[in-house]
Amino acid sequence: EGVYVLGRARYRVKVHAKDKPFSYLRPYKAAAYTALHRQQLVNVTSGQVYAAICLDEVREEQDVDGVVYRRAGFEVEITGRSG
């Protein structure tokens, strides 16, 4: 029997848009959420993902020389096990 490491990692998953409203980002944000929560116990090359939990919503806006960049998404915690 092998030795496994169980761990948690936090990521910020964001979609970006240039000069578009936050409503434009909504379907892309939803697609990212769906991809992360498609199924539990996902096998990956280095182990298994047991859960992906959204902890907080991300909503950022930045003006760079009159061009507005918006980012929307969430902070997610992934629990997994090494292979």
Side-chain angles (χ1 to χ4, degrees):
E1 295 188 29
V3 176
Y4 300 102
V5 176
L6 183 63
R8 284 189 213 155
R10 284 190 181 190
Y11 298 94
R12 292 191 96 183
V13 178
K14 300 184 281 187
V15 292
H16 300 244
K18 176 180 171 183
D19 279 334
K20 299 285 185 187
F22 280 109
S23 59
Y24 175 84
L25 296 172
R26 194 173 299 128
Y28 299 102
K29 180 181 162 187
Y33 182 91
T34 300
L36 284 169
H37 294 85
R38 192 172 203 145
Q39 58 183 331
Q40 288 188 322
L41 199 58
V42 177
N43 288 312
V44 293
T45 56
S46 61
Q48 295 175 320
V49 173
Y50 291 109
I53 301 167
C54 289
L55 302 172
D56 199 10
E57 188 170 351
V58 174
R59 195 172 162 110
E60 302 168 345
E61 188 173 81
Q62 181 181 18
D63 187 312
V64 179
D65 298 324
V67 178
V68 179
Y69 295 89
R70 291 185 176 87
R71 295 173 288 281
F74 37 82
E75 186 174 333
V76 62
E77 183 176 87
I78 296 175
T79 303
R81 183 189 81 153
S82 68

